[in-house]
Amino acid sequence: MDDRFNTIAGWTLFGGIVALGLSSLSAHYFLADKPERPEKMGYAIEGVEAEGGAGAAAVLPIANRLATGDVAKGEAIFAKCKACHTIDQGAANGIGPNLWATVGEGIAQGKGGFAFSDSLKAKGGKWDFASLDEWLTNPKKFADGTKMSFAGIANPQERADVILYLNSKGSNLPLPAPEAVPAAGAAPAAGAAAAGPVVGDAAAGEKVFAKCKACHTIEPGQPNGIGPNLAGIAGDKVAEGRGGFAFSDALKGKGGVWDDASLDAWLTAPAKYAPGTKMTFAGIADAKQRADVIAYLKTKK
């Protein structure tokens, strides 16, 4: 009986030793604890972009993405945030803070006494468009140690759409002017001077102007809207007349007249031309489109 028990015990011990050895070999073979990411990921992780993205398209500046963004799309994307955040004015904090009027607010401040992490408090500054873009790309990279468990939004345009939606909720800050970004394969900017002035097309400008009709009337005798009536604006004095329209002090301080140069500078980036202007339109980045709009404005006297 003792011999049989010893035999069984021996085989059991041997089996355990074999299993332990196989486990060790398997760990070394697959390198389960290796620090590098595998060559091919088993599944995609939201907010984690591929390494070595030499072939990836360059990301446009946030100002340019905001100019082409869509608030409605941002609201749809924000749906994934509602598990942790409220967004409407006066709503209570959830797992994360209420996000009403977040754009332009101090980072990790206010929000009804929400308990922000020390790492986010240490960032300082404000939630401007650039910092929000960086945060939404990768919260943990922006503030190592943050309590935010969301991985981030990898798609640059989706981030811009969400930021536009956030801005519409209690902030409504003017959008930054788009930056000049050379097209892929374009010649250096130094050669652009030889091209000469851009000639506008009034018919094409009328089509571009369609986006302006939400705020401006254009026919003689029409009333002002959110912005002033623009009939006869070419050659008129800057921020004067227009049926008593209430221009901003910033624009009144410019002086001069609306000639081709000043109209082009204004249409490129209103907020840059007159910092403090009430004009929320980001501008027209394309020089030909600006020339077309100016040509169209000149036809309306």
Side-chain angles (χ1 to χ4, degrees), residues 122-173:
K123 292 296 292 186
K126 292 185 177 182
W127 284 123
D128 57 19
F129 298 110
S131 59
L132 280 168
D133 185 50
E134 187 180 354
W135 166 258
L136 289 173
T137 301
N138 189 331
K140 290 190 180 298
K141 185 176 180 181
F142 180 84
D144 187 26
T146 178
K147 296 184 288 185
M148 176 87 154
S149 60
F150 182 58
I153 301 174
N155 186 296
Q157 188 56 53
E158 288 187 357
R159 294 197 299 273
D161 292 340
V162 169
I163 292 169
L164 280 175
Y165 175 61
L166 288 173
N167 191 43
S168 74
K169 290 296 196 174
S171 297
N172 298 307
L173 299 184

mmCIF file of all heavy atoms in Angstrom, residues 122-173:
data_model
loop_
_atom_site.group_PDB
_atom_site.id
_atom_site.type_symbol
_atom_site.label_atom_id
_atom_site.label_comp_id
_atom_site.label_asym_id
_atom_site.label_seq_id
_atom_site.Cartn_x
_atom_site.Cartn_y
_atom_site.Cartn_z
ATOM 1 N N ALA A 122 -1.849 71.056 -11.587
ATOM 2 C CA ALA A 122 -0.497 71.595 -11.786
ATOM 3 C C ALA A 122 -0.270 72.130 -13.195
ATOM 4 O O ALA A 122 0.711 72.837 -13.439
ATOM 5 C CB ALA A 122 0.542 70.515 -11.479
ATOM 6 N N LYS A 123 -1.171 71.824 -14.128
ATOM 7 C CA LYS A 123 -0.975 72.277 -15.507
ATOM 8 C C LYS A 123 -1.083 73.799 -15.628
ATOM 9 O O LYS A 123 -0.325 74.425 -16.362
ATOM 10 C CB LYS A 123 -2.011 71.630 -16.437
ATOM 11 C CG LYS A 123 -1.840 70.138 -16.629
ATOM 12 C CD LYS A 123 -0.536 69.790 -17.313
ATOM 13 C CE LYS A 123 -0.516 70.250 -18.766
ATOM 14 N NZ LYS A 123 0.703 69.780 -19.460
ATOM 15 N N GLY A 124 -2.031 74.393 -14.908
ATOM 16 C CA GLY A 124 -2.225 75.830 -15.009
ATOM 17 C C GLY A 124 -2.767 76.230 -16.375
ATOM 18 O O GLY A 124 -3.042 75.389 -17.225
ATOM 19 N N GLY A 125 -2.915 77.526 -16.594
ATOM 20 C CA GLY A 125 -3.414 78.015 -17.871
ATOM 21 C C GLY A 125 -4.905 77.830 -18.031
ATOM 22 O O GLY A 125 -5.625 77.557 -17.069
ATOM 23 N N LYS A 126 -5.364 77.979 -19.274
ATOM 24 C CA LYS A 126 -6.791 77.880 -19.561
ATOM 25 C C LYS A 126 -7.060 76.800 -20.601
ATOM 26 O O LYS A 126 -6.173 76.387 -21.330
ATOM 27 C CB LYS A 126 -7.316 79.227 -20.074
ATOM 28 C CG LYS A 126 -7.309 80.327 -19.030
ATOM 29 C CD LYS A 126 -7.957 81.595 -19.572
ATOM 30 C CE LYS A 126 -8.022 82.680 -18.515
ATOM 31 N NZ LYS A 126 -8.699 83.907 -19.028
ATOM 32 N N TRP A 127 -8.307 76.386 -20.642
ATOM 33 C CA TRP A 127 -8.741 75.434 -21.663
ATOM 34 C C TRP A 127 -9.000 76.217 -22.962
ATOM 35 O O TRP A 127 -10.128 76.545 -23.285
ATOM 36 C CB TRP A 127 -10.008 74.713 -21.221
ATOM 37 C CG TRP A 127 -9.807 73.639 -20.201
ATOM 38 C CD1 TRP A 127 -10.391 73.554 -18.976
ATOM 39 C CD2 TRP A 127 -8.993 72.469 -20.332
ATOM 40 N NE1 TRP A 127 -9.982 72.428 -18.320
ATOM 41 C CE2 TRP A 127 -9.124 71.734 -19.133
ATOM 42 C CE3 TRP A 127 -8.153 71.980 -21.327
ATOM 43 C CZ2 TRP A 127 -8.444 70.532 -18.906
ATOM 44 C CZ3 TRP A 127 -7.474 70.786 -21.107
ATOM 45 C CH2 TRP A 127 -7.625 70.076 -19.915
ATOM 46 N N ASP A 128 -7.939 76.536 -23.688
ATOM 47 C CA ASP A 128 -8.119 77.159 -24.990
ATOM 48 C C ASP A 128 -8.246 76.050 -26.034
ATOM 49 O O ASP A 128 -8.238 74.860 -25.710
ATOM 50 C CB ASP A 128 -6.974 78.122 -25.310
ATOM 51 C CG ASP A 128 -5.598 77.457 -25.260
ATOM 52 O OD1 ASP A 128 -5.525 76.207 -25.341
ATOM 53 O OD2 ASP A 128 -4.596 78.185 -25.133
ATOM 54 N N PHE A 129 -8.365 76.422 -27.283
ATOM 55 C CA PHE A 129 -8.599 75.429 -28.326
ATOM 56 C C PHE A 129 -7.414 74.458 -28.457
ATOM 57 O O PHE A 129 -7.601 73.259 -28.655
ATOM 58 C CB PHE A 129 -8.872 76.124 -29.661
ATOM 59 C CG PHE A 129 -10.099 76.987 -29.637
ATOM 60 C CD1 PHE A 129 -9.995 78.368 -29.694
ATOM 61 C CD2 PHE A 129 -11.367 76.434 -29.545
ATOM 62 C CE1 PHE A 129 -11.127 79.177 -29.664
ATOM 63 C CE2 PHE A 129 -12.509 77.232 -29.507
ATOM 64 C CZ PHE A 129 -12.378 78.609 -29.568
ATOM 65 N N ALA A 130 -6.197 74.982 -28.323
ATOM 66 C CA ALA A 130 -5.007 74.135 -28.468
ATOM 67 C C ALA A 130 -4.879 73.146 -27.313
ATOM 68 O O ALA A 130 -4.582 71.963 -27.524
ATOM 69 C CB ALA A 130 -3.757 75.003 -28.567
ATOM 70 N N SER A 131 -5.080 73.616 -26.081
ATOM 71 C CA SER A 131 -4.937 72.716 -24.929
ATOM 72 C C SER A 131 -6.039 71.660 -24.908
ATOM 73 O O SER A 131 -5.804 70.508 -24.540
ATOM 74 C CB SER A 131 -4.933 73.516 -23.614
ATOM 75 O OG SER A 131 -6.124 74.261 -23.459
ATOM 76 N N LEU A 132 -7.241 72.025 -25.331
ATOM 77 C CA LEU A 132 -8.317 71.030 -25.414
ATOM 78 C C LEU A 132 -8.008 69.975 -26.467
ATOM 79 O O LEU A 132 -8.275 68.784 -26.275
ATOM 80 C CB LEU A 132 -9.641 71.721 -25.735
ATOM 81 C CG LEU A 132 -10.359 72.376 -24.559
ATOM 82 C CD1 LEU A 132 -11.494 73.273 -25.051
ATOM 83 C CD2 LEU A 132 -10.898 71.322 -23.588
ATOM 84 N N ASP A 133 -7.421 70.409 -27.587
ATOM 85 C CA ASP A 133 -7.044 69.451 -28.632
ATOM 86 C C ASP A 133 -5.999 68.475 -28.111
ATOM 87 O O ASP A 133 -6.078 67.259 -28.347
ATOM 88 C CB ASP A 133 -6.517 70.214 -29.848
ATOM 89 C CG ASP A 133 -6.217 69.301 -31.021
ATOM 90 O OD1 ASP A 133 -7.099 68.480 -31.379
ATOM 91 O OD2 ASP A 133 -5.127 69.400 -31.600
ATOM 92 N N GLU A 134 -5.034 68.995 -27.363
ATOM 93 C CA GLU A 134 -3.987 68.144 -26.791
ATOM 94 C C GLU A 134 -4.569 67.188 -25.746
ATOM 95 O O GLU A 134 -4.220 66.004 -25.696
ATOM 96 C CB GLU A 134 -2.896 69.024 -26.170
ATOM 97 C CG GLU A 134 -1.681 68.241 -25.689
ATOM 98 C CD GLU A 134 -0.613 69.136 -25.086
ATOM 99 O OE1 GLU A 134 -0.766 70.383 -25.140
ATOM 100 O OE2 GLU A 134 0.370 68.599 -24.538
ATOM 101 N N TRP A 135 -5.452 67.699 -24.903
ATOM 102 C CA TRP A 135 -6.094 66.882 -23.867
ATOM 103 C C TRP A 135 -6.913 65.757 -24.477
ATOM 104 O O TRP A 135 -6.819 64.603 -24.067
ATOM 105 C CB TRP A 135 -6.966 67.778 -22.995
ATOM 106 C CG TRP A 135 -7.941 67.090 -22.091
ATOM 107 C CD1 TRP A 135 -9.281 66.946 -22.279
ATOM 108 C CD2 TRP A 135 -7.661 66.454 -20.831
ATOM 109 N NE1 TRP A 135 -9.849 66.278 -21.233
ATOM 110 C CE2 TRP A 135 -8.886 65.951 -20.331
ATOM 111 C CE3 TRP A 135 -6.498 66.255 -20.091
ATOM 112 C CZ2 TRP A 135 -8.975 65.264 -19.123
ATOM 113 C CZ3 TRP A 135 -6.591 65.578 -18.876
ATOM 114 C CH2 TRP A 135 -7.817 65.089 -18.411
ATOM 115 N N LEU A 136 -7.722 66.088 -25.479
ATOM 116 C CA LEU A 136 -8.590 65.076 -26.091
ATOM 117 C C LEU A 136 -7.814 64.056 -26.907
ATOM 118 O O LEU A 136 -8.303 62.969 -27.165
ATOM 119 C CB LEU A 136 -9.643 65.755 -26.969
ATOM 120 C CG LEU A 136 -10.730 66.534 -26.213
ATOM 121 C CD1 LEU A 136 -11.613 67.293 -27.193
ATOM 122 C CD2 LEU A 136 -11.580 65.590 -25.367
ATOM 123 N N THR A 137 -6.603 64.409 -27.320
ATOM 124 C CA THR A 137 -5.764 63.445 -28.036
ATOM 125 C C THR A 137 -5.341 62.320 -27.095
ATOM 126 O O THR A 137 -5.427 61.142 -27.436
ATOM 127 C CB THR A 137 -4.514 64.132 -28.603
ATOM 128 O OG1 THR A 137 -4.908 65.177 -29.486
ATOM 129 C CG2 THR A 137 -3.642 63.145 -29.371
ATOM 130 N N ASN A 138 -4.893 62.705 -25.906
ATOM 131 C CA ASN A 138 -4.401 61.710 -24.947
ATOM 132 C C ASN A 138 -4.372 62.331 -23.551
ATOM 133 O O ASN A 138 -3.391 62.964 -23.173
ATOM 134 C CB ASN A 138 -2.988 61.238 -25.351
ATOM 135 C CG ASN A 138 -2.523 60.049 -24.525
ATOM 136 O OD1 ASN A 138 -2.909 59.882 -23.372
ATOM 137 N ND2 ASN A 138 -1.667 59.231 -25.110
ATOM 138 N N PRO A 139 -5.454 62.178 -22.775
ATOM 139 C CA PRO A 139 -5.499 62.798 -21.447
ATOM 140 C C PRO A 139 -4.327 62.436 -20.545
ATOM 141 O O PRO A 139 -3.782 63.304 -19.859
ATOM 142 C CB PRO A 139 -6.831 62.277 -20.869
ATOM 143 C CG PRO A 139 -7.675 62.013 -22.084
ATOM 144 C CD PRO A 139 -6.720 61.504 -23.116
ATOM 145 N N LYS A 140 -3.923 61.178 -20.542
ATOM 146 C CA LYS A 140 -2.845 60.748 -19.641
ATOM 147 C C LYS A 140 -1.499 61.344 -20.049
ATOM 148 O O LYS A 140 -0.638 61.575 -19.214
ATOM 149 C CB LYS A 140 -2.771 59.227 -19.594
ATOM 150 C CG LYS A 140 -3.962 58.598 -18.871
ATOM 151 C CD LYS A 140 -3.749 57.120 -18.628
ATOM 152 C CE LYS A 140 -4.963 56.516 -17.906
ATOM 153 N NZ LYS A 140 -5.173 57.122 -16.582
ATOM 154 N N LYS A 141 -1.309 61.578 -21.333
ATOM 155 C CA LYS A 141 -0.070 62.214 -21.790
ATOM 156 C C LYS A 141 -0.088 63.696 -21.452
ATOM 157 O O LYS A 141 0.944 64.274 -21.109
ATOM 158 C CB LYS A 141 0.095 62.009 -23.298
ATOM 159 C CG LYS A 141 1.422 62.529 -23.843
ATOM 160 C CD LYS A 141 1.557 62.207 -25.318
ATOM 161 C CE LYS A 141 2.882 62.731 -25.876
ATOM 162 N NZ LYS A 141 3.028 62.446 -27.318
ATOM 163 N N PHE A 142 -1.253 64.315 -21.528
ATOM 164 C CA PHE A 142 -1.375 65.735 -21.216
ATOM 165 C C PHE A 142 -1.124 65.989 -19.736
ATOM 166 O O PHE A 142 -0.457 66.956 -19.372
ATOM 167 C CB PHE A 142 -2.788 66.218 -21.597
ATOM 168 C CG PHE A 142 -3.040 67.674 -21.320
ATOM 169 C CD1 PHE A 142 -2.655 68.644 -22.240
ATOM 170 C CD2 PHE A 142 -3.666 68.083 -20.150
ATOM 171 C CE1 PHE A 142 -2.895 69.995 -21.998
ATOM 172 C CE2 PHE A 142 -3.908 69.425 -19.900
ATOM 173 C CZ PHE A 142 -3.514 70.385 -20.827
ATOM 174 N N ALA A 143 -1.654 65.127 -18.879
ATOM 175 C CA ALA A 143 -1.488 65.286 -17.429
ATOM 176 C C ALA A 143 -1.277 63.908 -16.820
ATOM 177 O O ALA A 143 -2.234 63.236 -16.429
ATOM 178 C CB ALA A 143 -2.696 65.986 -16.822
ATOM 179 N N ASP A 144 -0.030 63.488 -16.780
ATOM 180 C CA ASP A 144 0.299 62.166 -16.251
ATOM 181 C C ASP A 144 -0.157 62.069 -14.795
ATOM 182 O O ASP A 144 0.246 62.861 -13.952
ATOM 183 C CB ASP A 144 1.808 61.943 -16.343
ATOM 184 C CG ASP A 144 2.205 60.527 -15.959
ATOM 185 O OD1 ASP A 144 1.364 59.619 -16.100
ATOM 186 O OD2 ASP A 144 3.355 60.325 -15.506
ATOM 187 N N GLY A 145 -1.022 61.102 -14.523
ATOM 188 C CA GLY A 145 -1.570 60.966 -13.180
ATOM 189 C C GLY A 145 -3.015 61.409 -13.094
ATOM 190 O O GLY A 145 -3.628 61.339 -12.029
ATOM 191 N N THR A 146 -3.583 61.875 -14.225
ATOM 192 C CA THR A 146 -4.981 62.292 -14.215
ATOM 193 C C THR A 146 -5.890 61.119 -13.879
ATOM 194 O O THR A 146 -5.564 59.957 -14.142
ATOM 195 C CB THR A 146 -5.385 62.863 -15.594
ATOM 196 O OG1 THR A 146 -6.762 63.218 -15.567
ATOM 197 C CG2 THR A 146 -5.193 61.832 -16.698
ATOM 198 N N LYS A 147 -7.045 61.444 -13.289
ATOM 199 C CA LYS A 147 -8.031 60.406 -12.973
ATOM 200 C C LYS A 147 -8.893 60.059 -14.177
ATOM 201 O O LYS A 147 -9.706 59.130 -14.115
ATOM 202 C CB LYS A 147 -8.921 60.886 -11.821
ATOM 203 C CG LYS A 147 -8.161 61.099 -10.520
ATOM 204 C CD LYS A 147 -9.094 61.471 -9.371
ATOM 205 C CE LYS A 147 -9.640 62.864 -9.492
ATOM 206 N NZ LYS A 147 -10.438 63.266 -8.321
ATOM 207 N N MET A 148 -8.710 60.782 -15.274
ATOM 208 C CA MET A 148 -9.490 60.558 -16.494
ATOM 209 C C MET A 148 -9.051 59.243 -17.133
ATOM 210 O O MET A 148 -7.897 59.077 -17.511
ATOM 211 C CB MET A 148 -9.241 61.714 -17.455
ATOM 212 C CG MET A 148 -9.908 61.571 -18.797
ATOM 213 S SD MET A 148 -11.584 62.199 -18.769
ATOM 214 C CE MET A 148 -11.800 62.637 -20.501
ATOM 215 N N SER A 149 -9.972 58.299 -17.260
ATOM 216 C CA SER A 149 -9.622 56.984 -17.791
ATOM 217 C C SER A 149 -9.854 56.865 -19.297
ATOM 218 O O SER A 149 -9.475 55.881 -19.910
ATOM 219 C CB SER A 149 -10.420 55.898 -17.067
ATOM 220 O OG SER A 149 -11.811 56.099 -17.237
ATOM 221 N N PHE A 150 -10.470 57.888 -19.910
ATOM 222 C CA PHE A 150 -10.754 57.866 -21.344
ATOM 223 C C PHE A 150 -9.454 57.895 -22.137
ATOM 224 O O PHE A 150 -8.556 58.691 -21.857
ATOM 225 C CB PHE A 150 -11.627 59.064 -21.699
ATOM 226 C CG PHE A 150 -12.033 59.143 -23.139
ATOM 227 C CD1 PHE A 150 -12.736 58.112 -23.736
ATOM 228 C CD2 PHE A 150 -11.709 60.250 -23.898
ATOM 229 C CE1 PHE A 150 -13.128 58.188 -25.066
ATOM 230 C CE2 PHE A 150 -12.094 60.342 -25.229
ATOM 231 C CZ PHE A 150 -12.798 59.302 -25.811
ATOM 232 N N ALA A 151 -9.328 57.018 -23.134
ATOM 233 C CA ALA A 151 -8.072 56.892 -23.874
ATOM 234 C C ALA A 151 -7.787 58.078 -24.773
ATOM 235 O O ALA A 151 -6.633 58.392 -25.054
ATOM 236 C CB ALA A 151 -8.097 55.615 -24.715
ATOM 237 N N GLY A 152 -8.824 58.760 -25.252
ATOM 238 C CA GLY A 152 -8.616 59.891 -26.149
ATOM 239 C C GLY A 152 -9.310 59.686 -27.484
ATOM 240 O O GLY A 152 -9.871 58.620 -27.747
ATOM 241 N N ILE A 153 -9.263 60.700 -28.324
ATOM 242 C CA ILE A 153 -9.875 60.646 -29.654
ATOM 243 C C ILE A 153 -8.751 60.758 -30.677
ATOM 244 O O ILE A 153 -8.112 61.810 -30.791
ATOM 245 C CB ILE A 153 -10.891 61.785 -29.850
ATOM 246 C CG1 ILE A 153 -11.995 61.697 -28.791
ATOM 247 C CG2 ILE A 153 -11.495 61.738 -31.253
ATOM 248 C CD1 ILE A 153 -12.960 62.881 -28.814
ATOM 249 N N ALA A 154 -8.505 59.690 -31.416
ATOM 250 C CA ALA A 154 -7.371 59.653 -32.335
ATOM 251 C C ALA A 154 -7.592 60.499 -33.573
ATOM 252 O O ALA A 154 -6.640 61.046 -34.132
ATOM 253 C CB ALA A 154 -7.081 58.201 -32.747
ATOM 254 N N ASN A 155 -8.850 60.634 -34.020
ATOM 255 C CA ASN A 155 -9.133 61.360 -35.257
ATOM 256 C C ASN A 155 -9.073 62.872 -35.014
ATOM 257 O O ASN A 155 -9.860 63.416 -34.238
ATOM 258 C CB ASN A 155 -10.523 60.964 -35.771
ATOM 259 C CG ASN A 155 -10.834 61.571 -37.121
ATOM 260 O OD1 ASN A 155 -10.922 62.782 -37.259
ATOM 261 N ND2 ASN A 155 -11.019 60.730 -38.115
ATOM 262 N N PRO A 156 -8.152 63.602 -35.683
ATOM 263 C CA PRO A 156 -7.996 65.041 -35.425
ATOM 264 C C PRO A 156 -9.247 65.856 -35.719
ATOM 265 O O PRO A 156 -9.571 66.780 -34.977
ATOM 266 C CB PRO A 156 -6.849 65.443 -36.366
ATOM 267 C CG PRO A 156 -6.099 64.179 -36.628
ATOM 268 C CD PRO A 156 -7.139 63.097 -36.637
ATOM 269 N N GLN A 157 -9.965 65.525 -36.785
ATOM 270 C CA GLN A 157 -11.155 66.308 -37.126
ATOM 271 C C GLN A 157 -12.280 66.057 -36.134
ATOM 272 O O GLN A 157 -13.041 66.966 -35.803
ATOM 273 C CB GLN A 157 -11.635 65.984 -38.538
ATOM 274 C CG GLN A 157 -12.752 66.908 -39.034
ATOM 275 C CD GLN A 157 -12.365 68.381 -38.977
ATOM 276 O OE1 GLN A 157 -11.330 68.783 -39.511
ATOM 277 N NE2 GLN A 157 -13.178 69.202 -38.322
ATOM 278 N N GLU A 158 -12.379 64.833 -35.614
ATOM 279 C CA GLU A 158 -13.394 64.543 -34.597
ATOM 280 C C GLU A 158 -13.117 65.339 -33.328
ATOM 281 O O GLU A 158 -14.045 65.818 -32.671
ATOM 282 C CB GLU A 158 -13.434 63.042 -34.293
ATOM 283 C CG GLU A 158 -14.042 62.210 -35.406
ATOM 284 C CD GLU A 158 -14.235 60.763 -35.013
ATOM 285 O OE1 GLU A 158 -13.836 60.388 -33.882
ATOM 286 O OE2 GLU A 158 -14.776 59.987 -35.814
ATOM 287 N N ARG A 159 -11.831 65.509 -32.989
ATOM 288 C CA ARG A 159 -11.502 66.327 -31.813
ATOM 289 C C ARG A 159 -11.965 67.769 -32.031
ATOM 290 O O ARG A 159 -12.525 68.406 -31.136
ATOM 291 C CB ARG A 159 -9.992 66.295 -31.537
ATOM 292 C CG ARG A 159 -9.453 64.948 -31.112
ATOM 293 C CD ARG A 159 -8.087 65.072 -30.465
ATOM 294 N NE ARG A 159 -7.072 65.636 -31.332
ATOM 295 C CZ ARG A 159 -6.314 64.943 -32.175
ATOM 296 N NH1 ARG A 159 -6.484 63.629 -32.283
ATOM 297 N NH2 ARG A 159 -5.390 65.527 -32.909
ATOM 298 N N ALA A 160 -11.714 68.287 -33.231
ATOM 299 C CA ALA A 160 -12.134 69.660 -33.536
ATOM 300 C C ALA A 160 -13.649 69.794 -33.464
ATOM 301 O O ALA A 160 -14.182 70.798 -32.954
ATOM 302 C CB ALA A 160 -11.627 70.062 -34.917
ATOM 303 N N ASP A 161 -14.377 68.790 -33.949
ATOM 304 C CA ASP A 161 -15.837 68.830 -33.903
ATOM 305 C C ASP A 161 -16.339 68.867 -32.459
ATOM 306 O O ASP A 161 -17.264 69.616 -32.125
ATOM 307 C CB ASP A 161 -16.419 67.604 -34.626
ATOM 308 C CG ASP A 161 -16.163 67.625 -36.131
ATOM 309 O OD1 ASP A 161 -15.899 68.715 -36.677
ATOM 310 O OD2 ASP A 161 -16.222 66.551 -36.753
ATOM 311 N N VAL A 162 -15.717 68.062 -31.599
ATOM 312 C CA VAL A 162 -16.112 68.038 -30.185
ATOM 313 C C VAL A 162 -15.819 69.384 -29.528
ATOM 314 O O VAL A 162 -16.622 69.907 -28.753
ATOM 315 C CB VAL A 162 -15.391 66.901 -29.431
ATOM 316 C CG1 VAL A 162 -15.583 67.038 -27.921
ATOM 317 C CG2 VAL A 162 -15.911 65.546 -29.888
ATOM 318 N N ILE A 163 -14.675 69.980 -29.855
ATOM 319 C CA ILE A 163 -14.311 71.269 -29.274
ATOM 320 C C ILE A 163 -15.295 72.354 -29.720
ATOM 321 O O ILE A 163 -15.685 73.223 -28.939
ATOM 322 C CB ILE A 163 -12.866 71.641 -29.647
ATOM 323 C CG1 ILE A 163 -11.891 70.672 -28.960
ATOM 324 C CG2 ILE A 163 -12.537 73.071 -29.234
ATOM 325 C CD1 ILE A 163 -10.459 70.776 -29.458
ATOM 326 N N LEU A 164 -15.712 72.300 -30.989
ATOM 327 C CA LEU A 164 -16.732 73.247 -31.463
ATOM 328 C C LEU A 164 -18.028 73.089 -30.669
ATOM 329 O O LEU A 164 -18.674 74.079 -30.314
ATOM 330 C CB LEU A 164 -17.006 73.008 -32.952
ATOM 331 C CG LEU A 164 -16.024 73.604 -33.955
ATOM 332 C CD1 LEU A 164 -16.391 73.167 -35.365
ATOM 333 C CD2 LEU A 164 -15.995 75.123 -33.871
ATOM 334 N N TYR A 165 -18.402 71.844 -30.408
ATOM 335 C CA TYR A 165 -19.619 71.596 -29.629
ATOM 336 C C TYR A 165 -19.462 72.129 -28.205
ATOM 337 O O TYR A 165 -20.370 72.797 -27.674
ATOM 338 C CB TYR A 165 -19.928 70.100 -29.607
ATOM 339 C CG TYR A 165 -21.091 69.733 -28.720
ATOM 340 C CD1 TYR A 165 -22.364 70.236 -28.951
ATOM 341 C CD2 TYR A 165 -20.916 68.880 -27.637
ATOM 342 C CE1 TYR A 165 -23.428 69.910 -28.136
ATOM 343 C CE2 TYR A 165 -21.978 68.537 -26.814
ATOM 344 C CZ TYR A 165 -23.236 69.052 -27.061
ATOM 345 O OH TYR A 165 -24.289 68.728 -26.241
ATOM 346 N N LEU A 166 -18.318 71.873 -27.584
ATOM 347 C CA LEU A 166 -18.069 72.387 -26.236
ATOM 348 C C LEU A 166 -18.128 73.912 -26.224
ATOM 349 O O LEU A 166 -18.677 74.519 -25.302
ATOM 350 C CB LEU A 166 -16.688 71.921 -25.745
ATOM 351 C CG LEU A 166 -16.527 70.441 -25.388
ATOM 352 C CD1 LEU A 166 -15.067 70.139 -25.092
ATOM 353 C CD2 LEU A 166 -17.400 70.062 -24.198
ATOM 354 N N ASN A 167 -17.562 74.536 -27.258
ATOM 355 C CA ASN A 167 -17.557 75.994 -27.332
ATOM 356 C C ASN A 167 -18.971 76.556 -27.449
ATOM 357 O O ASN A 167 -19.259 77.658 -26.965
ATOM 358 C CB ASN A 167 -16.714 76.441 -28.517
ATOM 359 C CG ASN A 167 -16.449 77.943 -28.506
ATOM 360 O OD1 ASN A 167 -16.145 78.523 -27.467
ATOM 361 N ND2 ASN A 167 -16.563 78.580 -29.664
ATOM 362 N N SER A 168 -19.856 75.784 -28.078
ATOM 363 C CA SER A 168 -21.245 76.238 -28.235
ATOM 364 C C SER A 168 -22.032 76.148 -26.941
ATOM 365 O O SER A 168 -23.122 76.704 -26.826
ATOM 366 C CB SER A 168 -21.952 75.405 -29.317
ATOM 367 O OG SER A 168 -22.256 74.096 -28.848
ATOM 368 N N LYS A 169 -21.481 75.456 -25.958
ATOM 369 C CA LYS A 169 -22.163 75.270 -24.688
ATOM 370 C C LYS A 169 -21.629 76.234 -23.637
ATOM 371 O O LYS A 169 -20.823 75.896 -22.776
ATOM 372 C CB LYS A 169 -21.997 73.817 -24.211
ATOM 373 C CG LYS A 169 -22.764 72.801 -25.021
ATOM 374 C CD LYS A 169 -24.254 73.045 -24.886
ATOM 375 C CE LYS A 169 -25.103 71.900 -25.334
ATOM 376 N NZ LYS A 169 -26.523 72.110 -25.054
ATOM 377 N N GLY A 170 -22.082 77.491 -23.749
ATOM 378 C CA GLY A 170 -21.790 78.466 -22.708
ATOM 379 C C GLY A 170 -20.525 79.272 -22.870
ATOM 380 O O GLY A 170 -20.271 80.170 -22.066
ATOM 381 N N SER A 171 -19.706 78.993 -23.895
ATOM 382 C CA SER A 171 -18.466 79.742 -24.097
ATOM 383 C C SER A 171 -18.578 80.688 -25.279
ATOM 384 O O SER A 171 -18.471 81.902 -25.141
ATOM 385 C CB SER A 171 -17.285 78.780 -24.292
ATOM 386 O OG SER A 171 -17.076 77.995 -23.139
ATOM 387 N N ASN A 172 -18.789 80.107 -26.467
ATOM 388 C CA ASN A 172 -18.968 80.894 -27.703
ATOM 389 C C ASN A 172 -17.817 81.859 -27.951
ATOM 390 O O ASN A 172 -18.021 83.021 -28.329
ATOM 391 C CB ASN A 172 -20.294 81.657 -27.662
ATOM 392 C CG ASN A 172 -21.485 80.719 -27.575
ATOM 393 O OD1 ASN A 172 -21.633 79.804 -28.382
ATOM 394 N ND2 ASN A 172 -22.327 80.928 -26.575
ATOM 395 N N LEU A 173 -16.589 81.395 -27.746
ATOM 396 C CA LEU A 173 -15.420 82.225 -28.005
ATOM 397 C C LEU A 173 -15.170 82.328 -29.507
ATOM 398 O O LEU A 173 -15.446 81.381 -30.251
ATOM 399 C CB LEU A 173 -14.180 81.631 -27.321
ATOM 400 C CG LEU A 173 -14.222 81.492 -25.799
ATOM 401 C CD1 LEU A 173 -12.879 80.986 -25.302
ATOM 402 C CD2 LEU A 173 -14.552 82.819 -25.145
#
